[in-house]
């Protein structure tokens, strides 16, 4: 006896609904977790003297942020700035929509120097962003 076609078609419709409704939502949730993990990792690796560079990590949706904050926050490497930056980043990430890209950007004029280890405070010349990307790919099964 041949299989019933109506059952296959019904399954296809349910699968399509699942893909259209559940997958984008779950992917969005995953994107939020990865973005916040990456932001926190970058912040903890950011060498600190005045706090300016660490304070200038910005999260944006859909396009690169051009924001630059020149405020000198001072203080030790584990002061208030990381909490403030994470809270601001989390508020942005929580608004991400399906298909929207999340950007983590720093526009302070010397950020490339810090990324390449040109700082007395830099603990690792392999870069805060490069190391974070490698860690995220390893942890979450990237490329």
């Amino acid at each position: 006896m041949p299989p019933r076609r109506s059952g296959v078609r019904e399954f296809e419709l349910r699968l399509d609904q699942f893909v259209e409704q559940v997958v984008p939502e779950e992917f969005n949730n995953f994107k939020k977790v990865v973005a916040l993990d990456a932001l926190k990792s970058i912040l903890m690796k950011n060498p600190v003297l005045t706090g300016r560079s660490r304070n200038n990590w910005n999260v944006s949706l859909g396009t690169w942020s051009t924001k630059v904050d020149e405020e000198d926050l001072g203080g030790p490497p584990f002061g208030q700035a990381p909490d403030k930056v994470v809270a601001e980043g989390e508020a942005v990430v929580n608004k991400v929509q399906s298909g929207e890209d999340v950007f983590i950007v720093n526009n302070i004029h010397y950020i490339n120097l810090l990324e390449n280890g040109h700082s007395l405070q830099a603990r690792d010349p392999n870069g805060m962003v490069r190391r974070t990307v490698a860690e995220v790919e390893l942890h979450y099964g990237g490329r």
Side-chain angles (χ1 to χ4, degrees):
M1 173 161 46
R4 291 180 21 189
R5 293 256 180 228
S6 64
V8 171
R9 182 68 187 136
E10 188 177 314
F11 174 75
E12 287 175 351
L13 289 173
R14 284 192 205 147
L15 186 58
D16 286 346
Q17 287 173 341
F18 174 80
V19 169
E20 289 174 7
Q21 295 170 0
V22 176
V23 172
E25 183 179 333
E26 289 303 314
F27 181 73
N28 239 20
N29 291 337
F30 176 72
K31 189 177 358 180
K32 291 174 185 180
V33 168
V34 173
L36 287 175
D37 281 355
L39 177 62
K40 291 173 187 176
S41 179
I42 290 168
L43 287 170
M44 296 315 295
K45 291 175 179 69
N46 195 131
V48 176
L49 180 61
T50 66
R52 265 188 220 114
S53 64
R54 187 171 57 188
N55 191 49
N56 271 281
W57 287 104
N58 295 290
V59 178
S60 59
L61 303 176
T63 187
W64 293 64
S65 169
T66 57
K67 178 183 171 189
V68 178
D69 184 356
E70 292 288 346
E71 181 182 358
D72 184 347
L73 296 178
F78 301 102
Q80 293 297 319
D83 295 338
K84 175 182 176 257
V85 174
V86 169
E88 290 172 357
E90 187 171 12
V92 172
V93 165
N94 284 334
K95 296 176 187 173
V96 70
Q97 299 296 311
S98 180
E100 196 169 30
D101 292 328
V102 177
F103 293 88
I104 301 172
V105 180
N106 192 319
N107 293 308
I108 200 81
H109 64 90
Y110 54 87
I111 198 64
N112 286 331
L113 293 172
L114 293 179
E115 175 67 13
N116 292 310
H118 298 286
S119 164
L120 296 175
Q121 289 74 31
R123 292 175 219 105
D124 188 333
N126 293 316
M128 56 206 140
V129 175
R130 287 190 308 265
R131 286 188 301 143
T132 295
V133 168
E135 290 167 4
V136 165
E137 287 178 347
L138 183 64
H139 183 77
Y140 292 105
R143 303 177 216 196

